[in-house]
Amino acid sequence: MTSTASSPASAPKDPWDLPDVSGLVVGVLGGTGDQGRGLAYRLAKAGQKVIIGSRAADRAHAAAAELGLGVEGADNAECARRSDIVIVAVPWDGHAKTLESLRAELAGKLVVDCVNPLGFDKKGAYALKPEEGSAAEQAAALLPESRVAAAFHHLSAVLLQDHSIDEIDTDVMVLGEERADVEIVQALAGRIPGMRGVFAGRLRGAHQVEALVANLISVNRRYKAHAGLRVTDV
Ligand SMILES: NC(=O)c1ccc[n+]([C@@H]2O[C@H](COP(=O)([O-])OP(=O)(O)OC[C@H]3O[C@@H](n4cnc5c(N)ncnc54)[C@H](OP(=O)(O)O)[C@@H]3O)[C@@H](O)[C@H]2O)c1
């Protein structure tokens, strides 16, 4: 039988039909920092099980205890081992070394890179050009046995960590190679009130997304703001 446009067989998948990720454990490498701590807080507040990672387990335990909400702390290796989704929130300087050292622990995991390779000079922030194209592509190159996605670049750690703010009014661009993995990350972003995860292409497009943070920093400086982004008409 020939299928028609209205038959279920030919109906395109609803792009907002996202998986239930509520049972997945989220680890945050570098979770003692501003961005990691902010994401850990927002995800844990939304009901996600979160493990903060650090180079030193005691720093992770302290950060986790401060957050409460069932957040646990561990060294980065244990954090990676125990998590289903691992967000990379370390500075660009430590990115390659951190991931290389955790290759075994990150094998088979969904790794979500939010690292923005930036430089600063007297003109302000500017995007660096990683040899691999972007931080996310560097992660993919260093972690051949992991599933790498990129997301959470355009968030303000100040707003994420501000407990007086209930909703984070921004979209998150999610990039990756496998639709199923991208949708998991979109769903994770969508757990945070006010936030949407929007598919924004393959990892080869990650440089633009990472680089755009330099522009947002210029916006923030001029307008004394914590700017985010909205993708309109989706
Ligand atoms: N801040 C933001 O608003 C924001 C927004 C979007 C994306 N990001 C990205 O998120 C990442 C983290 O930003 P952040 O502001 O949270 O940075 P951060 O506070 O400077 O660093 C985060 C954590 O990374 C660990 N770390 C520091 N140097 C390291 C190194 N050389 N190797 C491995 N780990 C190291 C530290 O944890 P331990 O000492 O406990 O290991 C630190 O607490 C950056 O790549 C940034 O581009 C930040």
Side-chain angles (χ1 to χ4, degrees), residues 107-129:
K109 310 284 174 154
L110 176 52
V111 174
V112 185
D113 207 293
C114 73
V115 171
N116 303 308
L118 296 177
F120 293 86
D121 64 15
K122 60 180 187 325
K123 295 183 185 175
Y126 61 94
L128 301 175
K129 295 190 174 119

Side-chain angles (χ1 to χ4, degrees), residues 12 31 33 88 168 191 213:
V88 185
I168 301 295
R191 298 269 285 152
V213 174

